Amino acid sequence: MSREPRRLKDVLDQGQFAVTIEYNPPKGTNIAGILDNAKDLIGLVHGVNVTDNTAAVVRAGSLPVCRLLYELGHDPVMQLTCRDRNRIAMQSDLMGAHMLGIRNVLCLTGDYPTVGDHKEAKPVYDLDSVQVMKLVQGLNEGRDMAGHKLDGPTAFTIAAAATPEADLVGPVLAKFEVKVKAGAQFFQTQAVYQPDIFASFMKAVRPFKVKVLAGILLLRNAKMAEFMNANIPGMSVPQEMIDELRAAGDKSEDAGVEIAVRAIKAVRSHCDGVHIMAIKGIHRLREIITKAELG
């Protein structure tokens, strides 16, 4: 068995500014790139999210990658979407994850299959993300969703997502409260590009006794930013940032790193940590963490 890593929950409970990152598993079995990158970040981050077929694109499973990261010395955050599993499969996977040392789970609804690469797949959506949080709470208390007693409970820290820059602020805050009541202990937000709006969001949610990690997304070029504005709900990359990326030309990824660093410094005083998403730019994670003076 591996030496147990320092737990993200302990970092948050102690009031330390938390740093988490995110990996997409490979579309295939070659995990070497992720593991090499993750080795370089041991001691610099407090949690590592592993996505669950994000954007409905088939990839290797979140759970096995979480276990491999755990063996390296990281504290994984297993993402779990409602799209592909019914309540039986989810409970089974969660009990298995606990056995393998996973202690954090981010409950998500999941994108509809028609946006992914297997458009004819049948969606499940037996439960929504809030119901899954309640399900995890039950497993933590030693019972399954049908009320049957477990021979050994789970001990998960429950995470949820939030969209702080969405136009519908009232509904966003209402759903935030619903997720807190369902058991969410910390939130990782969608990408933040407007610190003033994020500060207002944080002021509104501070009465809830939960931790909030601001999402920081590495923009690699102007085309990526424009695509996200057009296709991702709640995403609003300011035009001046898009212009900055376009003006950088072949150095657009460098400009994206600087934008991410500025965002981290701008939100740091308002939140409990940052969640850095680099997608195809994971080789820049250490640089972002270092330049933002997080490590």
Side-chain angles (χ1 to χ4, degrees):
M1 293 294 291
S2 306
R3 177 181 61 82
E4 183 166 296
R6 185 184 182 195
R7 293 297 186 180
L8 174 59
K9 181 180 186 300
D10 294 335
V11 173
L12 293 171
D13 287 347
Q14 292 164 11
Q16 184 176 346
F17 193 81
V19 179
T20 62
I21 59 171
E22 183 167 295
Y23 291 127
N24 282 325
K27 190 175 183 65
T29 59
N30 184 2
I31 193 67
I34 288 176
L35 295 184
D36 287 344
N37 186 268
K39 288 176 186 176
D40 189 48
L41 297 176
I42 293 172
L44 289 179
V45 301
H46 306 109
V48 181
N49 283 49
V50 182
T51 61
D52 181 18
N53 295 318
T54 188
V57 172
V58 172
R59 294 179 179 273
S62 177
L63 177 51
V65 178
C66 282
R67 174 62 196 187
L68 292 172
L69 292 169
Y70 173 83
E71 291 176 357
L72 286 182
H74 285 292
D75 190 24
V77 180
M78 187 178 79
Q79 295 191 5
L80 182 68
T81 68
C82 306
R83 177 191 57 242
D84 307 319
R85 304 170 185 82
N86 66 14
R87 65 193 68 190
I88 297 172
M90 282 191 279
Q91 290 176 100
S92 179
D93 284 349
L94 285 162
M95 286 184 280
H98 176 92
M99 294 175 192
L100 293 176
I102 313 308
R103 293 292 181 271
N104 310 293
V105 58
L106 173 60
C107 304
L108 301 166
T109 299
D111 299 303
Y112 206 79
T114 52
V115 307
D117 64 351
H118 285 63
K119 299 183 186 300
E120 295 180 356
K122 293 182 179 180
V124 180
Y125 295 119
D126 181 23
L127 305 173
D128 62 26
S129 61
V130 171
Q131 290 171 315
V132 175
M133 291 174 208
K134 293 178 180 178
L135 178 155
V136 178
Q137 270 196 306
L139 295 179
N140 284 348
E141 294 167 0
R143 65 179 188 280
D144 68 14
M145 199 171 184
H148 303 127
K149 185 177 180 180
L150 303 181
D151 184 8
T154 60
F156 289 112
T157 300
I158 302 171
T163 310
E165 294 184 0
D167 292 334
L168 300 175
V169 177
V172 168
L173 295 178
K175 191 161 188 180
F176 189 97
E177 182 175 7
V178 167
K179 290 180 177 180
V180 172
K181 290 180 177 178
Q185 294 159 274
F186 72 94
F187 284 76
Q188 292 172 318
T189 80
Q190 293 276 27
V192 173
Y193 293 108
Q194 302 180 75
D196 53 338
I197 294 177
F198 179 73
S200 298
F201 169 82
M202 286 303 304
K203 185 176 181 180
V205 301
R206 271 306 183 206
F208 301 106
K209 302 303 180 184
V210 294
K211 304 292 186 177
V212 178
L213 280 61
I216 305 294
L217 177 64
L218 172 61
L219 296 169
R220 291 178 289 107
N221 51 54
K223 184 178 179 181
M224 175 183 177
E226 291 172 335
F227 175 86
M228 300 193 74
N229 278 355
N231 295 281
I232 308 299
M235 181 67 64
S236 181
V237 182
Q239 185 60 45
E240 57 266 26
M241 287 186 185
I242 297 175
D243 294 341
E244 181 179 351
L245 291 163
R246 182 169 288 112
D250 292 342
K251 299 290 185 180
S252 61
E253 189 172 275
D254 293 341
V257 168
E258 296 307 316
I259 289 171
V261 170
R262 292 202 307 263
I264 291 170
K265 292 181 176 179
V267 302
R268 182 163 187 166
S269 63
H270 301 294
C271 56
D272 306 294
V274 289
H275 177 57
I276 307 172
M277 300 165 281
I279 309 180
K280 295 181 180 180
I282 63 173
H283 58 288
R284 308 301 293 264
L285 282 167
R286 174 179 273 273
E287 180 184 357
I288 293 170
I289 291 167
T290 301
K291 287 186 173 180
E293 301 177 331
L294 296 174

